[in-house]
Amino acid sequence: MTINPVGIYEKALPSSLTWEDKFNLVHQLGFNFLEFSIDESDERLARLDWSEEKRANFRKIMWNTHSRINTLMLSGHRRFPLGAYDKDTRIKSLEIMKKAIDLAADLGIRNIQLAGYDVYYDHKSVESRELFVENLKKCVQMAADKLVMLSIETMDDPFINSLSKIAHYKKIIRSPWLQGYPDLGNISAWPENNVAEDLENNIEDVVAVHLKDTKAVTPSFKGQFKNVPFGKGCVDFEGCLRTLVRLGYSGSYTIEMWSGNNKNSISEIKSAKAFFDNLFNKVGIQQADVNEW
C-alpha cells in the first residue's frame, strides 16, 4: 500500500472558469492539487510576467480555497527550445526558465516539469544536443538557487523518451535539483522501451508521474500521444501502477487530459477519475486526503 496525492492537469478543466471556480472544482472532483500550465501560447507565456499584485491575488485565492499547485508543466520550450540553433531563441528559452522558477517560488510550486526536447520544430543534431545540455546545466543552477525542483518529462519525441535517458543526463549534470517526471503513456508508446525495467532501474529519479494513455509507435504509424481515451490505448496501467507500488513510489500522480474546451469536460474528468480510482483500489494505492493541504 502506498499513499499518493492525485492531481488534475489545468487543461482538463473548463477554460472559462475563474481561478476560484477552478480550485473549488478540483476539490469537488476529488483531487489533491492542480497542475499549472505554461505552454507555448502567448496567453500562458504571459503568466510569467504576472505582477507582484497578480501573484499575491493568486496566492490569496489558493489559500482561501485551501488549494495548492504541486507542479508546473513548462511546455513553452517547444516554441523556444534550450537547444535552438538561433542564439536569440536560446536566450529567450533561458529567460522563460528564469521567470518560471521565480513564478514557482512566488506561488509555492515545488516542481517544474521540463519538456525533454533539444529542439521540437527543427532538425536534431549533435549541435542541438550539446546546446541543450549547456543550457540545461544553467537551468539547474537557476533552480537550485531558488530551491525549486526541475524534473525532465519523458516525451512524445525520441530525444528523451525514457527514464534511462533522463538518468544519462543526470550523470552529466549532477544535482539533486534535477530529477525525472515519467509519463506512463509516452514511455509505453515507444517500442524500444521495457516500461517495467525502465521504472525499476530508475525509480530513485522519479518525483512525479503523469497518467495518460497513448497509441504505440510502429514502423507505419507515428503514434498518438494526446486525446486517447483511458483504457483505449497501449498503456498497461494496472501493470505500471503495481510496479510503482512494489517499488514504494509515494510521489504524486497527475491525470493529463485536454478536455477543457469540450461541453462534456467535467463528465470526462469524472470518468477518468473513476477509471483510476478503480485501478488504485486494485493495486493498493490510497489517495492522500483531499481535505489536507
Side-chain angles (χ1 to χ4, degrees):
M1 172 73 71
T2 61
I3 299 175
N4 305 81
V6 180
I8 185 69
Y9 185 36
E10 177 193 338
K11 290 185 180 181
L13 304 176
S15 55
S16 60
L17 296 179
T18 65
W19 280 114
E20 182 175 6
D21 289 338
K22 286 180 181 179
F23 286 129
N24 285 328
L25 181 59
V26 168
H27 288 297
Q28 292 165 16
L29 293 172
F31 293 100
N32 298 100
F33 67 93
L34 175 72
E35 182 166 74
F36 195 70
S37 170
I38 302 289
D39 63 18
E40 58 189 311
S41 69
D42 289 337
E43 176 187 2
R44 284 194 166 88
L45 286 171
R47 295 175 176 181
L48 298 174
D49 295 310
W50 278 357
S51 65
E52 274 190 31
E53 181 181 8
K54 181 83 171 178
R55 296 175 193 217
N57 288 336
F58 188 85
R59 288 196 303 267
K60 185 177 180 180
I61 293 170
M62 282 198 294
W63 294 339
N64 287 346
T65 57
H66 294 249
S67 301
R68 57 192 169 93
I69 297 175
N70 281 1
T71 51
L72 185 160
M73 188 193 291
L74 182 60
S75 52
H77 281 136
R78 275 191 179 210
R79 181 175 167 191
F80 301 101
L82 294 171
Y85 297 101
D86 179 69
K87 182 178 180 181
D88 289 340
T89 302
R90 294 198 303 277
I91 291 172
K92 178 70 172 179
S93 73
L94 291 173
E95 289 176 351
I96 287 172
M97 180 56 77
K98 175 65 167 59
K99 291 179 178 181
I101 291 167
D102 289 343
L103 181 64
D106 287 346
L107 300 183
I109 301 172
R110 302 163 179 81
N111 184 8
I112 295 177
Q113 174 255 295
L114 172 69
Y117 303 118
D118 55 345
V119 292
Y120 186 76
Y121 297 110
D122 212 335
H123 69 283
K124 299 176 183 298
S125 68
V126 175
E127 182 182 4
S128 63
R129 179 189 183 277
E130 179 59 28
L131 292 168
F132 170 82
V133 173
E134 290 174 6
N135 284 323
L136 178 60
K137 186 174 182 180
K138 296 174 184 177
C139 291
V140 172
Q141 184 57 59
M142 287 190 284
D145 289 344
K146 290 292 181 75
L147 304 183
V148 173
M149 183 70 69
L150 293 187
S151 52
I152 302 174
E153 185 180 22
T154 54
M155 302 309 299
D156 55 347
D157 179 279
F159 182 69
I160 297 180
N161 60 1
S162 68
L163 282 166
S164 296
K165 289 185 177 180
I166 293 173
H168 177 75
Y169 288 100
K170 281 174 53 62
K171 289 180 181 178
I172 298 171
I173 304 171
R174 295 182 179 274
S175 171
W177 302 104
L178 180 65
Q179 298 295 340
Y181 194 148
D183 181 308
L184 296 183
N186 290 346
I187 293 177
S188 299
W190 295 98
E192 64 267 31
N193 289 337
N194 182 314
V195 179
E197 288 186 4
D198 201 40
L199 292 170
E200 288 169 341
N201 292 338
N202 303 285
I203 189 62
E204 68 275 9
D205 301 332
V206 177
V207 294
V209 172
H210 262 160
L211 301 173
K212 181 185 72 179
D213 217 340
T214 52
K215 293 186 178 179
V217 175
T218 70
S220 60
F221 179 59
K222 63 180 181 179
Q224 184 177 340
F225 293 88
K226 292 178 69 173
N227 298 317
V228 177
F230 292 108
K232 302 297 183 181
C234 66
V235 182
D236 181 355
F237 283 111
E238 183 172 345
C240 289
L241 293 171
R242 284 189 184 279
T243 301
L244 287 164
V245 170
R246 172 171 58 81
L247 296 171
Y249 172 71
S250 58
S252 67
Y253 291 104
T254 299
I255 296 176
E256 185 180 17
M257 51 194 300
W258 294 264
S259 56
N261 293 323
N262 299 340
K263 293 181 179 179
N264 298 320
S265 58
I266 293 177
S267 64
E268 289 182 3
I269 296 170
K270 289 179 178 178
S271 294
K273 183 66 164 56
F275 177 84
F276 285 107
D277 283 345
N278 178 60
L279 283 173
F280 290 163
N281 184 59
K282 288 176 69 175
V283 305
I285 293 173
Q286 179 181 331
Q287 183 180 346
D289 188 344
V290 296
N291 295 314
E292 293 184 3
W293 67 291

